[in-house]
Amino acid sequence: RLPEFMAGIAAYVFWSANRQRISASTALSLFAAMATIILFFHRDIPEIVLHNGATVGAWVALIVAAASMRGGVLTHPIAVSLGQASFSLYLLHGPVALAVFAVDTMFFGRVLREWPWSTATLTTILSIALSSIVFATFEEPCRRALRRRFSEHLRKQESHAERPTPT
């Protein structure tokens, strides 16, 4: 996941430096072109390459398009809240899916596996709910505390640097 994480950071740096020049429609067009190429050639690309790198151009373009939108469904407060909890969702969706399968196996005789859409829906709902709770009770308070701590530290450094040195 490190290359994907680094690609996300690079995409943010690129977008933040060029946000006035990048339109959502341009980024969506780039996404459509990249996705078309991937769909056309996906049978010729080894699966490990396809899932661990070949799609980076498409998803980076899609993320830049979403970040460039100034209106629409992605700016709705619910979508913004989901976006804020997305890191928790990224971390928790796998364990939640494993827990759903384990509970299904232990208590229901693998009934849910016969209904994949039900399993996916249940896993999605539980993952979003849990990630929202983790974001609100852990991630956001920690972020605020770190921001306070580092801003205090930076203020101290700045005030120390501004003091004239005795001669």
Side-chain angles (χ1 to χ4, degrees), residues 4 11 20 22 30 33 35-36 39 42 48 50 63 70 99 106 121-122 124-125 134 138 148 153-154 158 164 166:
E4 294 167 349
Q20 302 304 324
I22 299 173
L30 180 60
T36 302
L39 288 172
H42 78 276
I48 193 162
L50 185 65
I63 291 169
R70 298 291 170 247
M106 291 187 323
T121 302
L122 178 61
T124 300
I125 291 168
V134 167
F138 180 75
R148 267 194 314 272
H153 180 69
L154 289 174
E158 288 171 357

Side-chain angles (χ1 to χ4, degrees), residues 147-161:
R147 186 173 279 167
R148 267 194 314 272
R149 172 97 173 159
F150 282 110
S151 65
E152 289 170 11
H153 180 69
L154 289 174
R155 276 195 298 270
K156 286 178 185 176
Q157 281 185 332
E158 288 171 357
S159 67
H160 181 68

